Amino acid sequence: TINPATGLCYGVSAGTAIISYSLGSGCLSTYAVTVNSSPLPVTGTTHVCTGGTVTLSDPAFGGIWSSSSPAVAIIGSATGIVIGGTPGTTTIYYVVSGCPAVATFTVNPAPAPVTGTNHICITSAGSLTDATTGGVWSSSSPMVASIGSVTGIVTGVAASTAIIIYTLPTGCFTTFPVTVNPNPATVTGASTLCPGATTTLTCGTSGGSWSTGSSIVAVKAADNRLGDLLAATLEQRDGLHDAVGDGVARSDATEDIDEHALHIRVAEHN
């Protein structure tokens, strides 16, 4: 159609129309106007994560793709492949014979990198965190490493590597590999020994190192040695008293000497 006063022409459907311009005298001029077919609506996912890609398409052949905000998303002019850039919204155009199909396209931010330990032992646990809140945790291999969907606490199940995934409601996600290491074999050897005695412990898994987790054992051993020293001193004192004879009364001076000797021995031990 055309406005008879202004000459504004409006395409209604595909085809060719003859436009006439006439004077009051009856003289006129004609002009052919072709209305092209509009592309069909753009199809495909109209959102992507930063750094992610999706492919858009249109049934109309021969068009050219473009983006109104290349900083947000760029698109291959012939391929329709969109790459997410800065989070935000842009307009995607697909133009055929000058007629565009339009789609609004959104780029969502990806979550921050996962932090935490990337290796644990079987049956042990570690905690993973992400600075971007609101996501859900999952594991690519729960039989290797399981993880609390809300807590981020990962537990080793079997020796291998699992990919931990943290996904936001938008579908954007980040991954983090966690390696589960095997525990050493059971330690074998004597589980009790006397102060001053030794024993050798063994483990079927080679390459490790031995250590003690507490000094209490050493303190107890020292206490036991002190007890042995006191007992030996008292025994010597009693032997001296027996040698004097049962009928001889032990004087206070003798007791003082005995106790003094005991204190000296204890002092020497310390």
Side-chain angles (χ1 to χ4, degrees):
T1 61
I2 191 169
N3 186 306
T6 63
L8 179 64
C9 186
Y10 177 76
V12 177
S13 61
T16 301
I18 302 300
I19 304 298
S20 300
Y21 180 75
S22 60
L23 300 176
S25 62
C27 298
L28 58 84
S29 177
T30 60
Y31 189 77
V33 174
T34 299
V35 178
N36 295 316
S37 298
S38 296
L40 295 175
V42 173
T43 59
T45 301
T46 55
H47 57 85
V48 73
C49 304
T50 298
T53 62
V54 296
T55 300
L56 302 180
S57 62
D58 193 289
F61 179 75
I64 301 296
W65 296 95
S66 63
S67 170
S68 65
S69 300
V72 174
I74 60 174
I75 187 167
S77 60
T79 62
I81 297 175
V82 185
I83 302 175
T86 303
T89 301
T90 184
T91 301
I92 298 296
Y93 298 97
Y94 182 68
V95 180
V96 180
S97 301
C99 299
V102 179
T104 300
F105 195 89
T106 301
V107 176
N108 295 309
V114 174
T115 58
T117 181
N118 62 355
H119 57 85
I120 55 176
C121 300
I122 295 175
T123 71
S124 69
S127 180
L128 302 181
T129 59
D130 195 288
T132 307
T133 60
V136 175
W137 298 94
S138 62
S139 172
S140 66
S141 303
M143 299 304 294
V144 173
S146 63
I147 189 167
S149 61
V150 176
T151 63
I153 295 176
V154 59
T155 303
V157 179
S160 190
T161 298
I163 303 299
I164 301 300
I165 306 162
Y166 183 70
T167 307
L168 298 178
T170 59
C172 298
F173 64 91
T174 186
T175 60
F176 188 76
V178 172
T179 299
V180 180
N181 296 312
N183 293 319
T186 302
V187 174
T188 59
S191 60
T192 60
L193 70 161
C194 299
T198 61
T199 187
T200 299
L201 304 180
T202 60
C203 182
T205 305
S206 60
S209 60
W210 298 93
S211 63
T212 179
S214 174
S215 61
I216 295 177
V217 174
V219 171
K220 286 184 177 179
D223 289 345
N224 289 336
R225 288 195 295 272
L226 177 58
D228 291 344
L229 177 61
L230 292 174
T233 302
L234 292 174
E235 183 179 356
Q236 292 176 5
R237 185 189 67 177
D238 291 342
L240 176 61
H241 293 161
D242 291 341
V244 173
D246 295 336
V248 179
R250 291 175 290 184
S251 67
D252 292 340
T254 304
E255 292 292 340
D256 292 341
I257 293 173
D258 291 339
E259 294 299 331
H260 182 63
L262 174 60
H263 290 315
I264 291 175
R265 294 194 180 203
V266 173
E268 289 176 347
H269 174 75
N270 292 333

